[in-house]
Protein backbone atom coordinates (compact mmCIF):
# COMPACT_ATOMS: atom_id res chain seq x y z
CA UNK A 1 0.00 0.00 0.00
CA UNK A 2 0.96 3.67 -0.17
CA UNK A 3 3.15 5.79 -2.41
CA UNK A 4 5.95 8.29 -1.94
CA UNK A 5 9.70 8.66 -1.61
CA UNK A 6 10.33 5.66 0.64
CA UNK A 7 9.98 1.92 0.18
CA UNK A 8 9.37 0.10 3.47
CA UNK A 9 10.02 -3.65 3.47
CA UNK A 10 8.64 -5.35 6.60
CA UNK A 11 9.99 -8.75 7.71
CA UNK A 12 8.11 -10.74 10.36
CA UNK A 13 9.32 -12.84 13.29
CA UNK A 14 9.44 -16.58 13.97
CA UNK A 15 6.10 -18.32 13.57
CA UNK A 16 4.45 -15.19 12.23
CA UNK A 17 3.65 -13.73 8.80
CA UNK A 18 2.96 -10.44 7.11
CA UNK A 19 -0.38 -10.04 8.92
CA UNK A 20 1.58 -9.01 12.02
CA UNK A 21 2.19 -5.67 10.28
CA UNK A 22 -1.44 -4.92 9.36
CA UNK A 23 -1.68 -1.85 11.60
CA UNK A 24 1.88 -0.60 11.07
CA UNK A 25 1.40 -0.58 7.28
CA UNK A 26 -1.41 1.93 7.56
CA UNK A 27 0.69 4.19 9.77
CA UNK A 28 3.56 4.43 7.27
CA UNK A 29 1.92 4.38 3.85
CA UNK A 30 1.44 8.14 3.70
CA UNK A 31 5.19 8.60 3.21
CA UNK A 32 6.03 5.68 0.97
CA UNK A 33 5.18 2.30 -0.45
CA UNK A 34 4.86 -0.38 2.24
CA UNK A 35 5.47 -4.06 1.51
CA UNK A 36 5.07 -6.76 4.16
CA UNK A 37 6.45 -10.14 3.12
CA UNK A 38 5.87 -13.77 4.08
CA UNK A 39 9.25 -15.47 4.31
CA UNK A 40 9.56 -18.97 2.78
CA UNK A 41 7.54 -21.40 4.90
CA UNK A 42 5.57 -18.73 6.75
CA UNK A 43 2.14 -17.16 6.31
CA UNK A 44 0.83 -18.02 2.85
CA UNK A 45 4.24 -18.89 1.37
CA UNK A 46 4.82 -22.60 0.63
CA UNK A 47 7.39 -24.58 2.59
CA UNK A 48 10.74 -24.75 0.79
CA UNK A 49 12.56 -28.05 0.44
CA UNK A 50 14.47 -27.31 3.65
CA UNK A 51 14.50 -24.73 6.41
CA UNK A 52 16.49 -21.67 5.37
CA UNK A 53 19.14 -19.98 7.49
CA UNK A 54 18.89 -16.29 8.36
CA UNK A 55 21.47 -15.59 5.65
CA UNK A 56 19.50 -17.53 3.03
CA UNK A 57 16.26 -15.78 3.99
CA UNK A 58 18.11 -12.48 3.60
CA UNK A 59 19.27 -13.43 0.10
CA UNK A 60 15.66 -14.23 -0.89
CA UNK A 61 14.50 -10.82 0.37
CA UNK A 62 17.44 -9.12 -1.37
CA UNK A 63 16.61 -10.76 -4.71
CA UNK A 64 13.04 -9.51 -4.36
CA UNK A 65 14.30 -6.03 -3.46
CA UNK A 66 16.67 -5.93 -6.43
CA UNK A 67 13.75 -6.52 -8.78
CA UNK A 68 11.57 -3.93 -7.05
CA UNK A 69 14.18 -1.18 -7.12
CA UNK A 70 15.58 -1.70 -10.60
CA UNK A 71 15.33 1.42 -12.74
CA UNK A 72 16.32 5.05 -12.85
CA UNK A 73 14.19 6.34 -9.96
CA UNK A 74 15.29 4.14 -7.10
CA UNK A 75 13.37 4.80 -3.85
CA UNK A 76 14.94 5.15 -0.43
CA UNK A 77 14.72 1.62 0.96
CA UNK A 78 13.94 1.13 4.65
CA UNK A 79 14.13 -2.50 5.78
CA UNK A 80 12.35 -3.29 9.03
CA UNK A 81 12.51 -6.58 10.86
CA UNK A 82 10.70 -7.74 13.99
CA UNK A 83 12.15 -10.42 16.29
CA UNK A 84 13.63 -13.10 13.99
CA UNK A 85 12.88 -10.70 11.14
CA UNK A 86 15.39 -8.31 12.68
CA UNK A 87 18.07 -10.98 12.23
CA UNK A 88 17.07 -11.40 8.59
CA UNK A 89 17.00 -7.62 8.09
CA UNK A 90 20.51 -7.33 9.57
CA UNK A 91 21.76 -9.90 7.07
CA UNK A 92 20.08 -8.10 4.17
CA UNK A 93 21.89 -4.88 5.14
CA UNK A 94 25.24 -6.60 5.74
CA UNK A 95 25.23 -8.86 2.67
CA UNK A 96 23.54 -6.46 0.22
CA UNK A 97 24.42 -2.94 1.42
CA UNK A 98 23.64 -1.34 -1.96
CA UNK A 99 19.97 -2.24 -1.48
CA UNK A 100 19.41 -0.78 2.01
CA UNK A 101 19.39 2.91 2.93
CA UNK A 102 18.06 2.61 6.49
CA UNK A 103 17.38 -0.24 8.89
CA UNK A 104 14.85 -0.66 11.72
CA UNK A 105 15.17 -3.55 14.18
CA UNK A 106 12.14 -4.07 16.43
CA UNK A 107 12.62 -6.49 19.32
CA UNK A 108 15.80 -8.03 17.84
CA UNK A 109 16.69 -11.56 18.94
CA UNK A 110 18.79 -13.58 20.09
CA UNK A 111 21.46 -12.45 22.54
CA UNK A 112 24.65 -14.41 23.33
CA UNK A 113 24.25 -16.64 26.35
CA UNK A 114 20.53 -17.25 25.73
CA UNK A 115 20.63 -19.36 22.57
CA UNK A 116 18.45 -22.12 24.03
CA UNK A 117 15.10 -23.14 22.55
CA UNK A 118 13.66 -23.91 25.99
CA UNK A 119 14.87 -20.62 27.44
CA UNK A 120 13.49 -18.57 24.57
CA UNK A 121 10.14 -20.40 24.67
CA UNK A 122 9.83 -19.76 28.41
CA UNK A 123 10.58 -16.07 27.85
CA UNK A 124 7.99 -15.91 25.07
CA UNK A 125 5.29 -17.46 27.25
CA UNK A 126 6.02 -15.00 30.07
CA UNK A 127 5.96 -12.10 27.62
CA UNK A 128 2.66 -13.10 25.98
CA UNK A 129 0.65 -13.93 29.13
CA UNK A 130 -0.11 -10.26 29.97
CA UNK A 131 -0.96 -9.41 26.34
CA UNK A 132 -4.41 -8.73 24.94
CA UNK A 133 -6.64 -11.50 23.51
CA UNK A 134 -6.05 -9.97 20.05
CA UNK A 135 -2.29 -10.44 20.30
CA UNK A 136 -2.69 -14.03 21.52
CA UNK A 137 -5.22 -14.86 18.77
CA UNK A 138 -3.04 -13.47 15.97
CA UNK A 139 0.03 -15.24 17.34
CA UNK A 140 -1.74 -18.59 17.72
CA UNK A 141 -3.09 -18.47 14.16
CA UNK A 142 0.26 -17.62 12.62
CA UNK A 143 2.21 -20.19 14.66
CA UNK A 144 -0.16 -22.90 13.43
CA UNK A 145 0.43 -21.74 9.84
CA UNK A 146 4.21 -21.97 10.37
CA UNK A 147 3.83 -25.72 10.01
CA UNK A 148 5.51 -28.87 11.34
CA UNK A 149 9.04 -27.54 10.82
CA UNK A 150 8.68 -24.82 13.45
CA UNK A 151 11.26 -26.41 15.76
CA UNK A 152 13.81 -26.57 12.93
CA UNK A 153 13.07 -22.92 12.17
CA UNK A 154 13.74 -22.04 15.80
CA UNK A 155 17.09 -23.84 15.57
CA UNK A 156 17.98 -21.71 12.53
CA UNK A 157 17.28 -18.60 14.60
CA UNK A 158 19.48 -19.86 17.45
CA UNK A 159 22.38 -20.63 15.10
CA UNK A 160 22.58 -17.02 13.92
CA UNK A 161 24.84 -14.45 15.63
CA UNK A 162 23.42 -10.96 15.10
CA UNK A 163 26.12 -9.36 17.25
CA UNK A 164 28.69 -10.33 14.59
CA UNK A 165 26.53 -9.31 11.63
CA UNK A 166 25.82 -5.88 13.16
CA UNK A 167 29.46 -4.85 12.81
CA UNK A 168 29.19 -5.24 9.02
CA UNK A 169 26.14 -2.98 8.63
CA UNK A 170 26.74 0.47 7.14
CA UNK A 171 23.16 1.73 7.03
CA UNK A 172 21.89 4.00 9.81
CA UNK A 173 19.90 1.77 12.15
CA UNK A 174 17.12 2.30 14.67
CA UNK A 175 16.75 -0.37 17.37
CA UNK A 176 13.35 -0.40 19.07
CA UNK A 177 12.67 -2.33 22.27
CA UNK A 178 9.48 -2.64 24.28
CA UNK A 179 10.15 -1.59 27.87
CA UNK A 180 8.64 -4.87 29.14
CA UNK A 181 10.12 -7.13 26.44
CA UNK A 182 11.32 -10.26 28.22
CA UNK A 183 12.78 -11.77 25.04
CA UNK A 184 14.99 -8.73 24.47
CA UNK A 185 16.72 -7.68 27.71
CA UNK A 186 17.80 -4.04 27.72
CA UNK A 187 21.45 -5.06 28.11
CA UNK A 188 21.26 -7.04 24.88
CA UNK A 189 19.51 -4.21 23.03
CA UNK A 190 22.31 -1.87 24.09
CA UNK A 191 25.02 -4.37 23.12
CA UNK A 192 23.54 -4.79 19.66
CA UNK A 193 23.11 -1.04 19.20
CA UNK A 194 26.73 -0.43 20.24
CA UNK A 195 27.91 -3.02 17.70
CA UNK A 196 26.23 -1.10 14.87
CA UNK A 197 28.49 1.57 13.35
CA UNK A 198 25.53 3.98 13.17
CA UNK A 199 22.89 2.73 15.60
CA UNK A 200 20.47 4.32 18.02
CA UNK A 201 18.23 2.69 20.63
CA UNK A 202 14.70 3.76 21.57
CA UNK A 203 12.22 2.15 23.97
CA UNK A 204 8.42 1.97 23.86
CA UNK A 205 7.10 2.40 27.40
CA UNK A 206 4.79 -0.26 28.86
CA UNK A 207 5.05 -2.59 25.87
CA UNK A 208 6.40 -6.12 25.45
CA UNK A 209 7.71 -8.09 22.49
CA UNK A 210 4.56 -7.93 20.34
CA UNK A 211 4.23 -4.14 20.48
CA UNK A 212 3.24 -3.77 16.81
CA UNK A 213 0.27 -6.13 17.09
CA UNK A 214 -1.06 -4.63 20.30
CA UNK A 215 -0.63 -1.01 19.17
CA UNK A 216 1.68 -0.03 16.31
CA UNK A 217 1.38 3.74 16.78
CA UNK A 218 4.36 4.23 19.16
CA UNK A 219 6.62 2.21 16.86
CA UNK A 220 5.47 4.18 13.82
CA UNK A 221 6.15 7.47 15.63
CA UNK A 222 9.72 6.40 16.42
CA UNK A 223 10.33 5.30 12.83
CA UNK A 224 9.05 8.56 11.39
CA UNK A 225 11.21 10.60 13.78
CA UNK A 226 14.25 8.49 12.87
CA UNK A 227 13.75 9.13 9.15
CA UNK A 228 13.12 12.87 9.43
CA UNK A 229 15.95 14.87 7.86
CA UNK A 230 17.64 11.82 6.32
Amino acid sequence: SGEGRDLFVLIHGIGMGRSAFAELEGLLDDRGRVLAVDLPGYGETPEPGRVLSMEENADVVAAYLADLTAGDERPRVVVLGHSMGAQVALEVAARHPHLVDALVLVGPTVEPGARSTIRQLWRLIRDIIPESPRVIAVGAREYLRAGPRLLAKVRAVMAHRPEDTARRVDAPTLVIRGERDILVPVEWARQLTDALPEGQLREVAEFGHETMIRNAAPTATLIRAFLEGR
Side-chain angles (χ1 to χ4, degrees):
S1 63
E3 57 183 27
R5 173 193 175 197
D6 296 327
L7 172 63
F8 295 93
V9 180
L10 314 183
I11 308 173
H12 60 80
I14 184 78
M16 301 299 287
R18 67 181 188 272
S19 64
F21 296 111
E23 184 180 2
L24 183 63
E25 285 183 55
L27 296 171
L28 296 175
D29 64 5
D30 64 313
R31 66 173 299 147
R33 188 179 180 195
V34 184
L35 296 168
V37 303
D38 283 337
L39 292 174
Y42 291 93
E44 297 180 13
T45 305
E47 285 283 350
R50 58 182 173 79
V51 172
L52 304 186
S53 67
M54 299 302 99
E55 293 86 350
E56 290 169 327
N57 274 302
D59 290 345
V60 171
V61 173
Y64 179 51
L65 260 177
D67 282 343
L68 284 174
T69 58
D72 296 332
E73 297 184 9
R74 181 184 178 278
R76 177 173 66 171
V77 177
V78 182
V79 177
L80 179 150
H82 172 243
S83 196
M84 175 198 76
Q87 295 175 245
V88 176
L90 269 172
E91 288 294 341
V92 174
R95 296 165 69 85
H96 308 275
H98 61 291
L99 294 175
V100 181
D101 299 300
L103 192 62
V104 180
L105 310 176
V106 184
T109 48
V110 174
E111 84 271 24
R115 292 190 175 101
S116 158
T117 301
I118 297 299
R119 187 169 180 178
Q120 291 297 315
L121 179 60
W122 175 235
R123 285 183 179 183
L124 179 62
I125 292 170
R126 289 163 55 210
D127 190 275
I128 288 178
I129 286 173
E131 288 288 3
S132 69
R134 177 172 178 267
V135 171
I136 294 172
V138 171
R141 181 193 68 202
E142 293 300 331
Y143 269 77
L144 286 173
R145 292 170 74 183
R149 294 181 177 176
L150 184 57
L151 185 57
K153 294 172 182 177
V154 172
R155 292 194 188 104
V157 171
M158 298 301 163
H160 183 247
R161 283 170 162 67
E163 68 276 14
D164 295 336
T165 304
R167 297 183 178 90
R168 298 187 283 112
V169 171
D170 294 328
T173 306
L174 173 64
V175 179
I176 300 177
R177 175 187 179 269
E179 182 186 31
R180 297 178 180 175
D181 191 340
I182 297 173
L183 272 77
V184 184
V186 65
E187 295 82 4
W188 159 239
R190 288 172 179 158
Q191 178 186 342
L192 183 63
T193 304
D194 290 344
L196 291 157
E198 194 178 340
Q200 57 180 270
L201 173 64
R202 297 289 183 269
E203 283 196 330
V204 178
E206 300 183 3
F207 276 69
H209 194 63
E210 304 299 339
T211 173
M212 291 177 307
I213 300 175
R214 179 178 158 198
N215 181 355
T219 298
T221 298
L222 290 173
I223 294 169
R224 295 170 77 94
F226 169 67
L227 295 174
E228 284 300 325
R230 293 186 180 276

